[in-house]
Amino acid sequence: KTSLIFLSQRTTSWVNNQQTGSLITITMDAFNSENEQSSDTNLDKSEQSSDSNSVNQKKYKVINSVHKVVNSVGLKTTGVIFPDNKWIRYWDILISLSLFTLLFVLPYQIGVTSLTYTLENVTRVVFSSIFDFIFIVDTILYFWRAYREPDGRLVFDLKKIRRHYLRTFFLWNLLGSIPTASIFAGQMIPEEDFPFEAIILTRVFDILKLCRLARVPYLLRSSDFVVQFQQNQKSQAKLALVKYTFLLIVASHLLACSWCFLAFVQAGNFGDGLLERNNWILFWYNNNYEEGMINPIGEGQNLDRYILSMFWSIQTITSIGYGNISPFTRLEWWFGSIFMLLSGVLWAYIIGSLVGVAAALQVENELHRNRIDEVNVMISQFAKSDPTKANYACEQEMYDTDIFAKRLKKFIRSQKLTHKLSATNDMSGSFPVINSLSPEMQRVSCFMLVREHLELVPYLSSRFLSMHERSRVAKECMVLDFPPGETIRMSEDDSSIGRGIFVMIRGTAFAAHGAVKSFSQRRKKAFVITVGHVFGAGEVLLSEGNVQSEGRIEVISFTRVLFIPRR
C-alpha cells in the first residue's frame, strides 16, 4: 500500500504538469478496487496470515497496474535518481563535505599560499585530483537526478530534468569541474621554473572551481539529507543563529583571502617581491613591523599573512576600522572600496537577521512575562479576604487572597520551567502546530505524543484497541497542570474536569478510591501516586452515582497529568 501511494503521488504530480485528468481516475480506480478486495482479507487475521502469498500477488497487481498506466502515457522513470534514494543520500553527504572543504581550503590556496600544481607538491596534486574526480561525477549525475519545483512538486521526467539542468547550473558545474591539477602537473615543470604567467593561469582555473558552490542552493532545496538535517533540529532559531554565524565566518575568510591575493598579484610572489613593489603588505611592514612580531614576508609565512588579512577583513565587515591596515596602491583603493561596500550590505543583513533570531529565542520568556503581567492585573482585582467567614482553617488558607496570589504566581513559574505556556489544556494547546495539520495527521500526532501513557491503561493498550481507535482516544486527551495543595475530585457535580482517567506524567500526589468524607477515612484509604501511575481506570467504567465511581487526588508537588475524559 505504501509503495502504491508513493507511485500514485508521482503519477499525480506528472498529471498536474501535463494537465491530464484521466490518469488519476484510472490509477485511483485500480487502487480502490484492489483495496476493496484486500479489505475482505483483513476481516479474518488468521486467514490473512495463511494466505499471505495471495495478498502479495494482489499488491503486485496494483503496483503493476500503476506501471501500466505510467507506461501508457509515455512517461519513462527508468534510470531516474530520486531524492530518497539511499545511495544518493550518501553521495549528498560526500558532496556536502567536499563543498565545505572547498569553501575554506581553495580560497586559502589561491590567495595566501604560493604553491603550484607541480609533481613536487604531490599532496596538493593528489587531493585536488580526488576532488576534481568527485565533482566531475557529480556534474554527470545531475542529468538523471529528479528535482523539485518551487511549489514542491517532484519532476522526474528525464527530458525535463535534462532541459532544466542545461538551462540552470550545468555551465557552472562544468567550469568548476576542470581538472586543473591533472593538467598542470602533467607538464612536468619544476616549481622554480614555473613562470609567473602560468601561476596566474592556475589561479584563474582555481577561481573557476568556486563555481562548484552553485550546487549549494540545489542541495539546500532538494537533498533529502540536508532537508531532514534541518528539520530534525529542535530549535530552528538556534539553527538560524548557527547559519548566520557561519555566513559571517565564510565572508570574513573569503574577503581575507581576496585581500591577500591582491598583494600577490602586484608583487608577483610572497617573497622579496612584497618588499620590492608597492602593495598594502609593504605599507604595513614599513609602518608597523618590529622584530618578533608577525611577519607576512616570505614563502613560508602563510599563517602570518592570513592572520593579518583576516584582521583587516573582520574590521572591514564590522565597520570598526582601526586604520593600521589600509590600501596603498590605486588598485587596492578601488578594490578596497568595493569590498567595503559589499561588507556594509552583508553586515546590515546579518545584524537584521540576528535581531530576528534573538527575538525568536526569547519568545518563551516574552510569553511568560506577559502571563505574569496578566496574573498581576487579575490579582489586583481580587476582593480582600474576610477571615471571619471561613468555616474551616483549610478554607481560610485556600481562599485567602495573599496566599492564593502566591500560589498562582508559583504555578505560572512552574509552567514556564516545564515549557507549557499555552492557554488551553488540550493537545493542540501544548503543541499549537497540531491545529495546522489535516484531521488524520492531528489524530496520529496526538497518538504519537501519548502512546506510552495509553499503554499504561490496560483496556486502552495495543492488546485490545487498533491504532485508529487509540488515535481517536488520544485526540480527546488533555494535559493538565496542578499546583501543590490542590484537590481533584472525580465526580460530575464536584469538578469542572469531569470523570476520567489520570496518568501521572510529573509530580507526586495522594489518591483515594471511593467517597472520602472524613479525615480518618482519607488517612486509611490514601496511597501515593507518582510518575507512571494510573488512577481512575476502574472507577471511570462505573455508572454515575455509584459510590465506588468516586475518587480523590490531593496534589503534593507541582503535578502534570494526562487526563483521558470519560466521554
Side-chain angles (χ1 to χ4, degrees), residues 183-204:
I183 294 174
F184 287 94
Q187 302 299 319
M188 303 294 291
I189 302 176
E191 186 170 356
E192 58 272 9
D193 297 334
F194 216 80
F196 177 73
E197 292 77 9
I199 294 176
I200 293 297
L201 185 61
T202 61
R203 294 295 192 274
V204 172

Side-chain angles (χ1 to χ4, degrees), residues 151-213:
D151 60 359
R153 290 183 299 172
L154 185 66
V155 178
F156 49 89
D157 185 359
L158 281 175
K159 292 183 179 180
K160 285 190 174 183
I161 291 173
R162 290 165 181 172
R163 283 200 301 266
H164 175 266
Y165 181 39
L166 291 173
R167 287 198 310 266
T168 52
F169 53 93
F170 168 72
L171 179 61
W172 300 109
N173 285 359
L174 183 64
L175 292 175
S177 301
I178 298 175
T180 312
S182 302
I183 294 174
F184 287 94
Q187 302 299 319
M188 303 294 291
I189 302 176
E191 186 170 356
E192 58 272 9
D193 297 334
F194 216 80
F196 177 73
E197 292 77 9
I199 294 176
I200 293 297
L201 185 61
T202 61
R203 294 295 192 274
V204 172
F205 278 104
D206 282 342
I207 292 173
L208 288 178
K209 289 183 179 180
L210 293 175
C211 295
R212 297 170 179 175
L213 298 176

Side-chain angles (χ1 to χ4, degrees), residues 402-455:
D402 296 332
I403 295 177
F404 181 72
K406 292 178 181 179
R407 288 183 60 207
L408 197 57
K409 293 179 180 179
K410 189 175 182 180
F411 177 70
I412 297 298
R413 173 64 178 170
S414 299
Q415 283 191 319
K416 194 262 182 183
L417 294 177
T418 55
H419 306 285
K420 185 182 180 183
L421 295 175
S422 59
T424 58
N425 291 319
D426 56 5
M427 300 304 295
S428 61
S430 301
F431 302 93
V433 69
I434 290 178
N435 289 325
S436 64
L437 304 178
S438 65
E440 181 183 0
M441 296 185 74
Q442 288 181 5
R443 292 195 306 270
V444 175
S445 298
C446 293
F447 172 65
M448 294 297 180
L449 289 169
V450 301
R451 169 189 276 179
E452 296 180 356
H453 305 301
L454 290 180
E455 202 69 29

Side-chain angles (χ1 to χ4, degrees), residues 259 312 316 327 330-343:
W259 187 243
W312 177 86
T316 300
R330 179 179 285 104
L331 182 65
E332 291 169 355
W333 279 104
W334 274 106
F335 275 92
S337 300
I338 295 173
F339 289 159
M340 283 189 290
L341 181 61
L342 296 177
S343 299

